[in-house]
Amino acid sequence: MTHYWNWIASRTGWLIKEIRQTLADPVERRIALARAVLGWEIVWPALWPASGILGAYVAVGLFGLFDLLPWEIHLLLMMGVLGGCGWLTFETLKGAHVPTWEEGARRVERDSALSHRPISEHDDVQAVGTSDPWSVSLWRVHVKRLLASIGILRTKMPSPGLPARDPHAVRFVVLVSLVLGVVFAGHNTGQRLFDAFAPNLSGNGPPPTMDAWINPPAYTGQAPLYLRADASGTITIPENSQLVVRVHGSRGTPVLEADPHKNGVPDFEGSSGEYAASYKIGETSRIAVRASGRELGRWSVRTLADNAPVIAFSEPPSKTERQVLKLVFTAGDDYGVTSVRALITPLNPAYRRKEPFAVDLPLAAASAKTLKQTDFQDLTEHPLAGLMVKIVLEARDGAGHRGYSKAVEIRLPQRVFTDPLARALVEQRQMLALGQPAVRQRVIKTLDALTIAPEIFYEGRGNIYMAIRGAYWGLKLASSREDVERVQDLLWQTALALENGGALLAAQELRKIQQQLSEALAQGAPQEVIDALMQRYQEALQRYLQALAQNAQPSNGQPPPPGAKVLSEKDLNDLLAAIQKLAQSGARDSAMQMLALLQSLIENLHMSQGGPGGQSAQDQKMGKAIQDLGELMGRQRNLMDKTFREKQGNPDPKDGGPKGLAQQQGKLHDDMDKVLKDLGEKSPDAFGKAGREMNDAQGRLGAQALDGAQASQQKALEAMREGTGKLAEELMKRNGQQGPNGNEDPLGRQTGKNGSPFGSNVKVPDESSLARARSILEELRRRAAERGRPKEELDYIDRLLKEF
């Protein structure tokens, strides 16, 4: 073993010495290059056609065509190509040899056009005459002359003569195929080369598959967009959408490509053939997914920028009779306005806090693209009440963008107190709010003076006396700004309790609960929360009405003034019941609109002694008849739905078929006649037409002519609506009321073209629509409770539940 290593060391040392000598001598370097050229001219032609076959095989692999073949055929093809190339190479190189030094020297001499072979003959020796000094000297002169004539040495480019072995230039086709294959494979070049010489021996597995979709931002309310691999054209999506890709059956880690990719392209995560990746698309880009040497999908995506919302006052801010700030505004956004605030800045230089304070305005819809809304805000308890202020409306969208309206200057409404003590307390409160240091001691002395002789001035009002004394000591011992603010609130609550027997305090509580209820409806709160707030609102309304009744002015038997709208407590309760019913059915937008209408009526409500409206017995009969006719119209709509289902072949067995529907139609006709008979007055002609159409519908149902029956039912419903409208107009005239174009109901509400008693801008669904809405809502809630469903489906259902 030692002898063996010594031999290797000696040969290695000899080789290094030879290389050094070769590199040190320029002639030897040129001869070594010439020998390499000769070797290339021998080897390269011998590698054809084996190199061409191998190049074609590699090009096929770069294009990913082997993924389409079963692994057995791929393996046999690879073995045949490698075996054939090896055999051809062996046969063509069988007679080849390594070029010698002499052959290299002769190549340099020929390429450099040297005569007399000065390089190859410089080692020649004198054959004869070595004993003759003259002969030896002549030989030396000859050798020097040859070496001096070498000059600049050259080596020409190899000329292997391959065109003779490839007369059809197939080698160039192979070369172009390789270049195109590299370009096509791109980042997957290494993976495809590996796959070409490493067939998948696991079996005839299918090629990898992909699921890809785009999740728009939740605030857009748009459903996920599923991407097909063969999709063409440009896909338009909202800004900041999320691309989600799932790859199945991939032999290696897939690659996600995006151009441009300012957000950074994430890597796929996973194993065992299952991989996933998500990518936030921030701008217009081209996206591609590659796996197992193939392109699974390519898309061109264009993103739409999310514009800031716009908002403006529809009319200048004003105040109601209850000194409540009325704000009417319109707003819009490309995906939906999520919140609106009023930014109020005081203009009084005496006010120390210059920054605006914000008032949230509840929206009638959770995320409406366009909205026109009237909002009432009671700011009379705020220190700025009665001062000049600047109001700017701010709208926000789901992405956080903000839009602002033009500034409007207005004097904030203030509560007008008639009780002298209440007015004095409010005055001291406002002086504290202005924040002047010298004012505090003055307010302390004033409060102390207001509580002198309690046995004389506060007889029977011990609670008021204790509240003022509490404010006195609270202000005297106050050590922080929060302590002073608590005293201000105590003074305000005391003034409200003094004024009108607590009616103002009850109104304030009612507005707060109304705002909470509006926010709960807009934010999709659970129905249990809505029902609890509705119960609190009804209780607060009863307390408010009682407070108004205690301070009502006697009517002396006089009718309401012309143009006044008469409301009874039952009317208000009916509105509350309708609001709750709409909320339970999922029509929360309509419920919020009706709640705003109810609050608007309450803000302008006056109570008079002798009854809430002083209606005569005949007027009350007419009002009851109108309500009963409204219920009959609802029954007629339900009967139309039953007829339609009977015609579609999906009837309810409980209806008894066409004959049973005919009996229901006859019963409805009889009930209408009874209501009109109890009215005791001549009914409009429209009810006669409604009765004839009901008789016709009953006959057609008995004959099973469902198409004609449904048409007659529709005409009967229209006639009933027309007759009820005329009765409502007659009732308004009797009470000295006249709505625009006579298009108001007994409560003075605009009925609109669709006959809705809440105005043309409040869409109240009928019973069948509410039933369908409830069934859809219950089904969505049932599916949302099944947490085993895919996450994407659950997210989509949650967005639907928030919307409805």
Side-chain angles (χ1 to χ4, degrees), residues 786-800:
E786 298 175 355
R787 307 315 293 178
R789 292 180 175 272
K791 183 178 181 301
E792 291 77 14
E793 181 180 353
L794 291 175
D795 292 342
Y796 184 52
I797 292 176
D798 290 340
R799 289 203 296 271
L800 289 177

Side-chain angles (χ1 to χ4, degrees), residues 633-670:
M633 285 188 287
R635 289 171 54 187
Q636 182 65 65
R637 283 192 294 268
N638 289 336
L639 189 57
M640 287 177 58
D641 291 341
K642 293 179 181 180
T643 305
F644 177 76
R645 289 194 294 269
E646 185 75 32
K647 184 174 66 174
Q648 294 294 324
N650 187 26
D652 188 347
K654 298 179 181 179
D655 292 334
K659 292 185 178 180
L661 296 178
Q663 294 177 0
Q664 295 181 32
Q665 184 67 74
K667 178 67 168 55
L668 197 151
H669 188 191
D670 295 340

Side-chain angles (χ1 to χ4, degrees), residues 28 134 178 184 203 217 272 332 350 403 473 506 548 581 623 635 638 683:
E28 291 296 334
W134 294 99
L178 287 172
F184 181 80
S272 302
W473 286 107
L548 286 182
K581 193 172 184 180
R635 289 171 54 187
N638 289 336
S683 59

Side-chain angles (χ1 to χ4, degrees), residues 494-512:
T494 306
L496 290 180
L498 283 167
E499 187 71 15
N500 290 337
L504 298 183
L505 194 61
Q508 181 182 5
E509 179 188 9
L510 186 64
R511 294 187 194 99
K512 288 183 178 179

Side-chain angles (χ1 to χ4, degrees), residues 144-389:
K144 289 181 180 178
R145 190 184 70 222
L146 287 176
L147 293 176
S149 65
I150 291 178
I152 299 175
L153 300 180
R154 297 180 179 86
T155 303
K156 295 181 179 180
M157 294 296 294
S159 179
L162 190 58
R165 296 181 62 85
D166 181 24
H168 300 291
V170 178
R171 61 189 182 279
F172 295 110
V173 176
V174 176
L175 180 62
V176 172
S177 299
L178 287 172
V179 174
L180 294 178
V182 171
V183 174
F184 181 80
H187 298 293
N188 294 325
T189 300
Q191 182 66 38
R192 292 192 178 184
L193 287 175
F194 176 81
D195 293 342
F197 293 96
N200 182 17
L201 303 182
S202 60
N204 294 327
T209 59
M210 174 195 66
D211 294 320
W213 64 92
I214 294 177
N215 287 328
Y219 65 83
T220 63
Q222 297 184 7
L225 176 63
Y226 186 79
L227 300 178
R228 298 186 307 171
D230 57 348
S232 59
T234 302
I235 302 172
T236 302
I237 60 174
E239 187 181 24
N240 295 324
S241 296
Q242 193 83 9
L243 171 68
V244 181
V245 182
R246 300 284 189 269
V247 177
H248 316 283
S250 176
R251 296 197 299 272
T253 303
V255 177
L256 177 64
E257 301 174 356
D259 181 29
H261 49 274
K262 292 184 179 180
N263 290 339
V265 181
D267 296 328
F268 274 86
E269 297 180 357
S271 60
S272 302
E274 298 295 325
Y275 299 90
S278 60
Y279 172 62
K280 186 177 181 180
I281 306 173
E283 60 182 16
T284 301
S285 59
R286 293 175 296 277
I287 302 173
V289 177
R290 303 180 186 276
S292 298
R294 65 172 57 196
E295 185 176 87
L296 301 184
R298 177 180 290 272
W299 310 278
S300 176
V301 179
R302 182 172 68 91
T303 58
L304 291 178
D306 188 358
N307 299 319
V310 294
I311 188 170
F313 286 101
S314 299
E315 59 184 57
S318 60
K319 64 179 181 179
T320 67
E321 294 186 8
R322 301 294 179 190
Q323 302 301 318
V324 175
L325 180 63
K326 178 182 179 182
L327 299 175
V328 184
F329 60 89
T330 58
D333 185 66
D334 41 8
Y335 295 112
V337 179
T338 58
S339 66
V340 173
R341 299 193 305 171
L343 305 179
I344 303 177
T345 306
L347 300 179
N348 193 324
Y351 192 74
R352 297 182 62 187
R353 298 177 62 185
K354 300 298 183 181
E355 68 275 6
F357 77 94
V359 178
D360 294 326
L361 306 181
L363 300 181
S367 183
K369 292 186 177 181
T370 58
L371 58 91
K372 182 176 181 181
Q373 186 170 318
T374 301
D375 191 80
F376 297 92
Q377 291 292 328
D378 183 9
L379 302 179
T380 54
E381 66 174 299
H382 197 275
L384 298 184
L387 301 179
M388 289 296 298
V389 297

